[in-house]
Amino acid sequence: MRYLEPHAHMVSRVTDDYQDMVTAGCMAVCEPAFWAGYDRSSVAGFHDYFCQLTDYEPRRAAKFGLPHYCWLCLNPKESEDVVFAQEVLAILPGFLGRPNVLGIGEIGLNKNSRNELKVLEQHVDLAARHQQLILVHTPHLEDKHKGTRLTLDVLRADSRIRPERVIIDHVEEHTVQMVLDAGFWAGMTLYPETKCTPARAIDILDRYGPERLWLNSACDWGVSVPLIVPRTGLEMRRRGHRPEAVDRVLYQNPVEFLSQCPKFKLS
Ligand SMILES: [Zn+2]
């Protein structure tokens, strides 16, 4: 089985995870910028993090023969202070030209606050001005439906944004349809308990078909499973999906979306 891991926070994983992913057939890993588990206290903290994602982490992955790509942004959890957010956004364009940067992400909303919305709009503007792909994080549980709707409103209000160049991640049963209907891509994040379990994700695939959908583990410092994407591929096979259908969702779909960025190449 070959697969792509389009959303993984490798800075919080050990090198054994890289080895396991390559052994399981991973062809590339993509790492969106996110919260560090604590709020960074300065712009310099973000500068160092962006260097880690564009320099150190790709070199660590390369030791295991795995291409590493990333997405850059100020994450929603830290966008409450709009002045600070603007300072971080000001250094971001300086990193967009680095060879493993795919676009702006994971931006979005956490608590659906007014300030988060303001910073989301600024990120969307930045992506439009620099012709970047966009990866969107959607809020958890009770905030998800409203947060997804608000995010789609922001994206649709900007006429420069083409929906086929945006992926809305962490969709669930109650949000996937509005994302796909609006022409965006949708990501299903496989967590052992919260977000989507493999069984629920396969139910969604059975209901909506594979078009514009991908799977990811979002593995980070919390309870998460770096190999849950290939394991879901095995579960698809067990439930009667053909090998080509598994390959489409686990490999071809993410390659199709990510190849819209000319920097994304598989050897
Ligand atoms: Zn994430």
Side-chain angles (χ1 to χ4, degrees):
M1 195 190 307
R2 59 178 182 173
Y3 77 100
L4 234 73
E5 177 51 82
H7 186 150
H9 297 288
M10 298 309 292
V11 300
S12 55
R13 310 303 309 194
V14 295
T15 48
D16 287 358
D17 293 326
Y18 275 125
Q19 276 180 313
D20 291 345
M21 288 162 73
V22 172
T23 306
C26 189
M27 306 299 284
V29 62
C30 309
E31 175 153 8
F34 197 50
W35 195 51
Y38 59 90
D39 288 351
R40 296 170 183 87
S41 61
S42 67
V43 178
F46 277 93
H47 176 274
D48 291 349
Y49 179 48
F50 296 156
C51 288
Q52 186 180 17
L53 291 179
T54 56
D55 181 14
Y56 179 68
E57 207 56 40
R59 278 191 279 134
R60 192 161 78 108
K63 283 183 192 154
F64 305 96
L66 188 63
H68 176 284
Y69 293 94
C70 72
W71 302 77
L72 299 180
C73 73
L74 168 91
N75 68 82
K77 271 182 192 274
E78 287 170 273
S79 58
E80 209 45 68
D81 181 342
V82 284
V83 176
F84 182 54
Q86 258 164 8
E87 290 169 10
V88 176
L89 280 167
I91 67 162
L92 235 167
F95 289 89
L96 293 179
R98 294 207 172 178
N100 74 328
V101 178
L102 297 172
I104 302 293
E106 55 189 297
I107 57 172
L109 301 170
N110 182 48
K111 294 284 175 207
N112 299 335
S113 75
R114 201 178 290 251
N115 284 352
E116 287 175 11
L117 265 170
K118 206 176 285 179
V119 176
L120 171 62
E121 285 168 354
Q122 289 168 351
H123 275 107
V124 171
D125 174 63
L126 183 76
R129 280 189 285 115
H130 294 269
Q131 289 101 41
Q132 298 290 308
L133 298 177
I134 295 176
L135 189 155
V136 176
H137 161 99
T138 50
H140 301 267
L141 302 171
E142 70 274 14
D143 298 317
K144 185 176 290 289
H145 191 272
K146 185 181 174 199
T148 304
R149 198 167 40 74
L150 289 169
T151 303
L152 296 187
D153 288 347
V154 168
L155 290 162
R156 283 185 292 212
D158 193 321
S159 61
R160 298 167 297 174
I161 299 298
R162 283 161 43 204
E164 70 273 18
R165 290 174 55 83
V166 180
I167 181 141
I168 312 290
D169 216 337
H170 318 322
V171 300
E172 292 179 28
E173 291 85 346
H174 59 311
T175 57
V176 61
Q177 181 143 25
M178 69 167 121
V179 170
L180 294 176
D181 284 353
F184 298 98
W185 280 71
M188 290 188 279
T189 299
L190 306 159
Y191 271 7
E193 289 148 21
T194 58
K195 293 204 169 79
C196 243
T197 59
R200 284 169 55 201
I202 299 169
D203 287 346
I204 290 173
L205 281 168
D206 285 345
R207 180 155 177 210
Y208 293 95
E211 185 102 357
R212 282 182 284 120
L213 278 169
W214 81 24
L215 304 174
N216 61 72
S217 77
C219 58
D220 52 27
W221 58 90
V223 178
S224 49
V225 180
L227 292 187
I228 204 162
V229 171
R231 284 186 198 168
T232 303
L234 288 177
E235 178 65 9
M236 286 176 74
R237 291 299 309 278
R238 198 188 64 77
R239 281 175 52 167
H241 291 247
R242 308 277 313 147
E244 311 84 72
V246 175
D247 189 66
R248 163 124 196 237
V249 177
L250 268 62
Y251 180 78
Q252 293 172 43
N253 276 5
V255 168
E256 183 186 339
F257 177 81
L258 296 167
S259 296
Q260 295 181 91
C261 172
K263 286 188 256 177
F264 182 78
K265 289 203 172 66
L266 292 172
S267 53

